[in-house]
């Protein structure tokens, strides 16, 4: 795995989309587990927007939490609208709307092989200091893990995330490990059972038996065997002390004002320190992959010998 640095001047000067060969190469690198790094973010924020985001911590306690923006319905969550100042909430929503739109515009022109063959997931604003956060083990960001969403199964779509460190001075400190195709073979099937269509069917049956008509059963009904495994693998990695201690680790410190993008379902990652980040998630169609042999779905299907999504 590698960090591939892309100077913003090379993007802005060009006015034209990157060549097809170049864009294919970037996509293939991402899919294999590299990080594309932009020392200077390609997102052009309006004057005052970053200052507004940085100011929330001091001025409005109801905006402290991780805040999600759902572009499909133009809605914020994680903000206590009962106590937050209405004008602040409206401005925050406007900034998140802009950020999400700008990230989509940028990636659409940059990763042309994907040509918007993605489902746009949430954007987030992360105003909290990551170092020393008091979170339940499975929610901790400082333990290496690959991403899986408990309530939003992807059915094999890849989780591509675009990040911005908007802290005025500090780095955002990550550690990353060996990508999924290497990692999963260390543990499956010996320490963690491989997925099989049968596994998921029995889980679905259990959910049905537990409560037909209950909302709580719906997410597991929608989960494919692939999603089920990815969720278990996320938990397995965070709960595995030996892995956390002994695994190969590559530290990266993303500077103030930089952006980076990475497939977080493939690259195990942990955030050790940093404050104030923005992020937009894309669920990229499996059919859009330029190097499908690296996708967790393909790797797992080859190991399990059956279709999993
Ligand atoms: Fe993560």
């Amino acid at each position: 795995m590698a960090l591939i640095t892309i100077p913003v001047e090379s993007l802005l000067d060009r006015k034209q989309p990157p060549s097809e060969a170049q864009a294919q190469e970037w996509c293939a690198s991402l899919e294999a587990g590299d990080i594309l790094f932009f020392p200077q973010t390609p997102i052009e924020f309006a004057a005052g927007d970053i200052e507004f985001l940085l100011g929330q911590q001091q001025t409005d306690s109801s905006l402290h939490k991780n805040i999600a923006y759902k572009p499909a319905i133009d809605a914020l969550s994680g903000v206590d609208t009962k106590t937050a100042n209405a004008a602040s909430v409206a401005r925050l929503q406007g900034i998140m709307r802009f950020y999400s739109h700008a990230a989509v515009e940028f990636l659409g022109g940059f990763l042309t092989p994907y040509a918007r063959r993605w489902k746009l997931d949430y954007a987030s604003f992360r105003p909290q200091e990551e170092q020393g956060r008091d979170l339940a083990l499975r929610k901790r960001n400082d333990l290496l893990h690959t991403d899986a969403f408990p309530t939003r199964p992807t059915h094999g779509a890849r989780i591509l995330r675009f990040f911005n460190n908007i802290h005025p001075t500090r780095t955002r400190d990550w550690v990353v490990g060996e990508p999924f195709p290497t990692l999963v073979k260390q543990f499956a099937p010996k320490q963690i059972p491989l997925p099989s269509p049968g596994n998921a069917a029995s889980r679905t049956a259990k959910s049905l038996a537990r409560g037909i008509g209950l909302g709580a059963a719906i997410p597991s009904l929608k989960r494919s065997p692939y999603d089920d495994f990815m969720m278990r693998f996320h938990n397995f990695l965070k709960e595995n002390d030996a892995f956390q201690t002994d695994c190969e680790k590559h530290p990266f410190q993303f500077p103030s004002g930089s952006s980076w993008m990475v497939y977080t379902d493939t690259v195990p990652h942990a955030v050790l320190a940093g404050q104030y980040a923005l992020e937009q998630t894309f669920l990229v169609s499996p059919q859009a992959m330029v190097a499908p042999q690296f996708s967790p779905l393909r790797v797992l299907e080859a190991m399990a010998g059956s279709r999993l999504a």
Side-chain angles (χ1 to χ4, degrees), residues 120-140:
L120 193 58
D121 197 67
Y122 301 168
S124 62
F125 171 44
R126 303 166 180 216
Q128 294 201 348
E129 171 58 53
E130 294 291 344
Q131 191 166 27
R133 279 181 82 171
D134 184 20
L135 293 168
L137 188 134
R138 287 181 178 182
K139 290 194 189 318
R140 278 174 61 180

Side-chain angles (χ1 to χ4, degrees), residues 126 140-141 143 145-149 161 163 174 234 238 264 267 269-271:
R126 303 166 180 216
R140 278 174 61 180
N141 297 326
L143 296 171
H145 64 282
T146 47
D147 281 346
F149 301 142
R161 298 188 118 167
F163 295 91
W174 275 35
H234 164 274
K238 284 190 175 175
T264 56
V267 179
H269 55 284
V271 190

Side-chain angles (χ1 to χ4, degrees), residues 5 10 13 42 53 103 114 130 134 173-174 193 195 234 259 265 286 288 299:
T5 300
S10 72
D13 289 351
L53 294 176
Y114 298 156
E130 294 291 344
D134 184 20
D173 300 348
W174 275 35
H234 164 274
S259 287
D265 54 1
V299 169

